[in-house]
Amino acid sequence: MDVEKWNMYALLKHFELLEWELDNVPNLSLETLDLDDCELDGVPPAIAEIEYYAFRDVQAVSFNNNPEMRKADILGKLEDLQAINMWGCGLTAIPNCWTNLHKLQVLGLGNMPELTSFSPLRKLTNVTWLDLGWCGLTSLPVEVTHLTKLAVLALGGNEGIEIDDSICCLWNLQKLALNACGLKHVPPPVFSLIKLTHLHLDDNHLVTLGQEIVQLKELEELSVTGNSNLCFPKLLSQCDSVQRVVIDETINLANVSHSLRNKLTMANGASLKRDNDEK
């Protein structure tokens, strides 16, 4: 759709105060332009007029599911932006002018397999929530390691991604998603992320989690659905911080200790205790 048809008045119909419900980003209430699923090929230039003529700050934008979107440079002019969500768009590079977005906290760039240039991330050091899932990544972009305030990092769906020691730079990381990455084992550097509270490893090919899991002394939730051959390490039951382990019916519970069973939760919400009693 021709972005020129989106004048300021058309945009204002999609502009409102919204509550952004995101992990580790509490109470984020932002003036948001929501143009999801609008068949756009670029960000409408009139977005800049909202601040100058409508006297309202554009604090967040959502352009999810606009696969033809290639142009987003104009967002670099909106210095009050705190959140950008662009799942399923067609960017090939993060625009260089986004380095002006010093207030940016939330950046969702998932499902962009053509995205290959990440250079501006080096300057976006206030970002605490980043989604690069389903982007065809084979390794963690080096630019991401500059985001030392990151609390949430989603890398799911990057089949074959290699996680090396560079991820250790993210020492404030609390939630990490590595679901559907084709993993046969948990990458050893993950065990160095000692502030992790949530780890998502669903839909991989894991056989074991490794005894090193006990190094994650603040881990509260572990999700491992879709790993049908997974066996839990005995030491996991001794991890007092772990409150919840999300599983599905494919997991073999034959050798799971009683103490660990009390922490298991079925992904479909079924009562594990009742199922066990019936057996």
Side-chain angles (χ1 to χ4, degrees):
M1 182 179 293
D2 186 357
V3 295
E4 300 298 336
K5 295 180 180 179
W6 288 87
N7 60 30
M8 182 184 70
Y9 300 102
L11 292 179
L12 286 173
K13 295 178 181 178
H14 298 263
F15 189 60
E16 59 182 320
L17 187 65
L18 295 178
E19 294 285 343
W20 284 63
E21 298 181 4
L22 297 165
D23 295 333
N24 291 68
V25 188
N27 304 317
L28 202 62
S29 180
L30 302 173
E31 291 271 23
T32 302
L33 178 65
D34 186 348
L35 289 177
D36 294 349
D37 304 292
C38 285
E39 300 181 356
L40 296 171
D41 60 9
V43 178
I47 192 173
E49 297 178 6
I50 293 176
E51 294 189 343
Y52 294 110
Y53 297 109
F55 305 106
R56 295 175 67 181
D57 293 332
V58 181
Q59 298 174 322
V61 294
S62 186
F63 295 106
N64 295 326
N65 299 315
N66 286 285
E68 301 303 317
M69 180 171 284
R70 299 286 190 273
K71 305 171 185 176
D73 295 61
I74 197 167
L75 295 181
K77 295 183 178 181
L78 307 177
E79 296 184 4
D80 288 321
L81 270 183
Q82 297 178 45
I84 296 174
N85 208 5
M86 301 184 74
W87 172 273
C89 290
L91 296 188
T92 59
I94 299 176
N96 288 327
C97 57
W98 285 16
T99 56
N100 298 325
L101 305 178
H102 302 299
K103 296 181 181 180
L104 196 65
Q105 299 179 58
V106 174
L107 183 55
L109 299 174
N111 195 20
M112 291 198 199
E114 297 181 31
L115 185 63
T116 57
S117 178
F118 302 89
S119 181
L121 284 181
R122 295 175 181 268
K123 301 292 185 179
L124 300 178
T125 54
N126 285 317
V127 170
T128 60
W129 191 101
L130 178 64
D131 181 4
L132 290 176
W134 278 267
C135 282
L137 300 177
T138 57
S139 61
L140 185 69
V142 65
E143 293 85 357
V144 174
T145 64
H146 291 256
L147 308 182
T148 55
K149 293 182 181 179
L150 265 188
V152 178
L153 177 60
L155 294 173
N158 290 298
E159 181 81 18
I161 189 172
E162 294 186 7
I163 302 298
D164 59 21
D165 289 341
S166 64
I167 201 172
C168 299
C169 295
L170 307 178
W171 50 76
N172 286 307
L173 204 60
Q174 297 176 38
K175 297 190 177 184
L176 175 63
L178 290 172
N179 51 297
C181 285
L183 300 178
K184 295 181 179 179
H185 62 272
V186 181
V190 170
F191 299 125
S192 299
L193 301 172
I194 58 174
K195 291 187 179 181
L196 274 188
T197 60
H198 292 69
L199 179 59
H200 295 269
L201 297 168
D202 309 280
D203 301 315
N204 283 295
H205 309 296
L206 300 176
V207 176
T208 181
L209 298 174
Q211 300 288 7
E212 297 89 347
I213 194 78
V214 299
Q215 296 176 26
L216 303 178
K217 297 186 180 302
E218 297 189 24
L219 189 65
E220 298 174 5
E221 180 173 307
L222 176 66
S223 187
V224 292
T225 64
N227 292 280
S228 58
N229 295 316
L230 179 64
C231 293
F232 293 109
K234 293 182 179 180
L235 289 180
L236 184 60
S237 60
Q238 301 176 22
C239 295
D240 295 334
S241 64
V242 176
Q243 302 172 12
R244 189 168 180 255
V245 180
V246 182
I247 64 171
D248 57 19
E249 62 280 355
T250 66
I251 299 291
N252 184 355
L253 300 177
N255 297 315
V256 177
S257 67
H258 178 73
S259 58
L260 182 56
R261 286 192 185 214
N262 290 333
K263 299 179 180 182
L264 300 183
T265 301
M266 296 296 287
N268 61 10
S271 171
L272 183 66
K273 183 178 186 303
R274 183 184 67 231
D275 293 344
N276 288 337
D277 289 345
E278 291 176 353
K279 294 177 182 179

